[in-house]
Amino acid sequence: MLDEARQESRRLAASLRGIDTATADSAHAVWQALDATPDDNALMGCAATLETIEQRLPPGTLAALVRVRLSRLQWLVNAMLDDPTPPAA
């Protein structure tokens, strides 16, 4: 699951580059947090950052496509938070 989240976070950061560089930088920070083996505090920070990214996305078709990737990553982060076992490295 962690590998999937890492991959999705890289894709999200790349997708956001064309929309807003500041938001892309936030997604890059999520990617970096997930690249290390994140603890619950790091995952909570990722979840909060992803929520902020979602709120900043403008309307439009490209943003709608990014929202699909974003919702998948949010689901993965929340699933890791709900899972009592430590994430695999």
Side-chain angles (χ1 to χ4, degrees):
M1 191 175 322
L2 181 57
D3 288 337
E4 276 184 83
R6 288 175 179 153
Q7 185 176 16
E8 283 299 320
S9 64
R10 284 191 299 271
R11 289 177 178 166
L12 177 64
S15 296
L16 285 169
R17 286 272 171 233
I19 296 175
D20 180 13
T21 56
T23 306
D25 290 342
S26 295
H28 186 75
V30 170
W31 172 19
Q32 288 179 320
L34 293 173
D35 207 25
T37 303
D39 59 10
D40 281 351
N41 289 333
L43 290 172
M44 290 295 289
C46 289
T49 301
L50 293 171
E51 181 67 30
T52 301
I53 290 170
E54 183 177 19
Q55 293 170 359
R56 286 182 169 176
L57 283 176
T61 305
L62 181 57
L65 295 172
V66 171
R67 275 188 179 86
V68 172
R69 187 171 309 283
L70 178 63
S71 67
R72 173 72 176 147
L73 182 54
Q74 286 174 314
W75 182 86
L76 288 167
V77 168
N78 287 329
M80 287 188 292
L81 278 167
D82 292 340
D83 189 7
T85 61

